[in-house]
Amino acid sequence: FFDFNLNFDVSSLNFKRVYYKLLNFNKNSKNNLFDVSKKINGKLNLFINKIYSNSKFIQSAESKIEFTNGDIVFHRLLLNLGKIGASDITGIVENNKGFVSLKFKQNVFIDNFKYFYNKFTIKQYPDIGPKNYFISGNVDLKNFKIYLNEISSNEEISNEDKDFIEKNINSILLENKYASFFDFFKLKQLVKLILVK
């Protein structure tokens, strides 16, 4: 067994390099990316002070991660979205007899809608104040498919709208697994489709 308790402080991360390395993994490596030995247990406090990417969408990140009996628990993953706002995620990656699933809850805080619309090249949309969105669901990490349980803001979004969003996340953002999931152009395409529905 291997137990650890680590603080990992990164001054900067070139996400473009990470992205291309991930794309160059063979199919087996990609499918087993979250397979963790049950003998590895411990806690990791991760701080990334500056993230460099083409989109400049996520500015920095920090997380408390726990590895326990083959599962990966995200007690907290905070993403700094710069002028747009922030997002926090909690969840668990469960490894169970070859099936790997991420169960998650996410809050997205949009502080500046004008900057948000500009970032996603959305024109002529009403100017509204800060807003919080809550999303929960699970992701099949072997087949890269998402299943949404709830999306809400001031009120819960209808099942029809939730199904529409789920369908388009799968067909646009998860279409080519990691290649499309980390592609900001695909995220823009998805956001535009949802907002102009």
Side-chain angles (χ1 to χ4, degrees):
F1 289 90
F2 177 68
D3 295 297
F4 60 90
N5 193 345
L6 299 173
N7 289 322
F8 195 47
D9 198 337
V10 180
S11 60
S12 64
L13 173 71
N14 186 331
F15 187 76
K16 188 175 180 180
R17 288 184 181 176
V18 175
Y19 175 69
Y20 285 118
K21 283 186 181 292
L22 187 60
L23 292 186
N24 288 325
F25 281 178
N26 61 42
K27 184 178 179 180
N28 188 53
S29 296
K30 288 178 183 177
N31 287 340
N32 296 310
L33 188 62
F34 292 97
D35 284 351
V36 179
S37 170
K38 292 182 181 293
K39 295 182 178 180
I40 298 176
N41 293 278
K43 296 178 180 178
L44 173 65
N45 294 318
L46 175 66
F47 303 90
I48 305 174
N49 297 301
K50 183 67 179 176
I51 297 175
Y52 295 99
S53 66
N54 289 339
S55 68
K56 300 178 182 177
F57 182 53
I58 299 174
Q59 305 286 308
S60 61
E62 63 178 85
S63 185
K64 288 187 176 181
I65 305 169
E66 184 175 0
F67 297 81
T68 174
N69 298 319
D71 295 337
I72 308 170
V73 181
F74 295 90
H75 291 291
R76 184 191 68 200
L77 172 58
L78 300 176
L79 304 175
N80 174 4
L81 306 180
K83 293 180 181 179
I84 291 175
S87 179
D88 70 72
I89 305 166
T90 58
I92 180 170
V93 176
E94 295 180 332
N95 284 283
N96 187 10
K97 296 180 181 178
F99 182 78
V100 185
S101 174
L102 166 64
K103 296 179 180 177
F104 71 94
K105 294 179 180 178
Q106 179 178 13
N107 287 295
V108 180
F109 304 94
I110 300 180
D111 297 329
N112 188 328
F113 267 93
K114 185 176 180 180
Y115 192 82
F116 174 83
Y117 300 143
N118 185 53
K119 186 74 175 175
F120 286 88
T121 59
I122 299 170
K123 298 179 180 179
Q124 297 177 342
Y125 207 80
D127 187 17
I128 55 180
K131 207 165 184 181
N132 172 35
Y133 295 91
F134 172 78
I135 308 163
S136 70
N138 62 77
V139 182
D140 176 351
L141 292 172
K142 289 288 187 180
N143 300 301
F144 246 67
K145 189 170 183 179
I146 194 169
Y147 303 91
L148 295 175
N149 298 327
E150 179 185 346
I151 304 175
S152 59
S153 184
N154 296 337
E155 58 186 31
E156 190 171 341
I157 290 176
S158 71
N159 285 332
E160 182 184 353
D161 285 341
K162 177 173 66 68
D163 291 344
F164 175 83
I165 293 169
E166 179 183 294
K167 176 185 174 183
N168 284 288
I169 290 174
N170 285 315
S171 64
I172 296 173
L173 203 58
L174 303 183
E175 177 187 18
N176 294 314
K177 299 189 176 182
Y178 297 105
S180 52
F181 181 71
F182 292 115
D183 185 338
F184 186 68
F185 175 78
K186 292 286 187 180
L187 179 61
K188 284 174 70 171
Q189 184 182 346
L190 175 69
V191 170
K192 282 183 177 181
L193 184 65
I194 292 170
L195 290 181
V196 300
K197 178 181 180 292

